[in-house]
Amino acid sequence: MVAAPICPIGRDWGERALVTAAFSSLALLAPRQDALSLTISGFSMGARGAWIAAGQSLVSRALIVAGRTAPDLLSAPLPATQIKVIHGAADDHQPASEMRDFCGHASRIGVAIDYEELPGKGHFIADETYSRADVIDWLTV
């Protein structure tokens, strides 16, 4: 099963009540014992929800597309979630250098993270990313 959190317009994943409601719904989809069969993905601000689920090991896999970094993910205990990050090298919303450095650090301390940077691509890479056969395969394994 793949879930993709979408934050309501005018709201932010930093709102505790919104996060609580979203992940209560996630728990209904895949109770804790079934989290191994759940993949989550998010694009841009939606990636924040995916980072939160990954950081709490609520899912087995998380795909982050053109999202912001998630420093709170690196606090103990480290997540058991397998994470794939796809980011545009020319992203003007979230610099690729910040995401690249963050993912490198996360990987060095033991987070299962795979970073892919798309040369010449900006922030709006969702359509291209989610239509790739390798990404669809990764989401549905």
Side-chain angles (χ1 to χ4, degrees):
M1 185 181 326
V2 177
I6 298 174
C7 190
I9 294 174
R11 306 283 300 271
D12 186 282
W13 282 113
E15 297 176 40
R16 186 176 214 68
L18 182 60
V19 171
T20 299
F23 293 112
S24 294
S25 299
L26 186 62
L28 293 173
L29 288 174
R32 193 85 169 149
Q33 66 273 16
D34 293 332
L36 293 177
S37 63
L38 183 61
T39 297
I40 195 165
S41 183
F43 163 71
S44 193
M45 188 169 52
R48 179 66 182 147
W51 278 125
I52 292 167
Q56 296 177 12
S57 297
L58 297 173
V59 295
S60 60
R61 297 155 56 86
L63 174 63
I64 310 298
V65 179
R68 298 196 182 282
T69 61
D72 48 326
L73 175 78
L74 305 182
S75 60
L78 293 176
T81 303
Q82 181 183 357
I83 302 167
K84 181 172 184 67
V85 175
I86 301 177
H87 205 87
D91 190 327
D92 59 349
H93 286 70
Q94 172 67 32
S97 60
E98 289 180 22
M99 184 60 79
R100 185 182 329 112
D101 291 347
F102 172 79
C103 290
H105 176 68
S107 183
R108 285 188 297 278
I109 65 169
V111 177
I113 195 163
D114 175 33
Y115 177 73
E116 178 183 350
E117 196 167 293
L118 304 178
K121 299 295 181 176
H123 185 70
F124 297 98
I125 59 171
D127 289 346
E128 175 183 341
T129 299
Y130 289 114
S131 64
R132 288 175 28 188
D134 65 314
V135 171
I136 293 168
D137 288 345
W138 192 90
L139 287 168
T140 59
V141 167

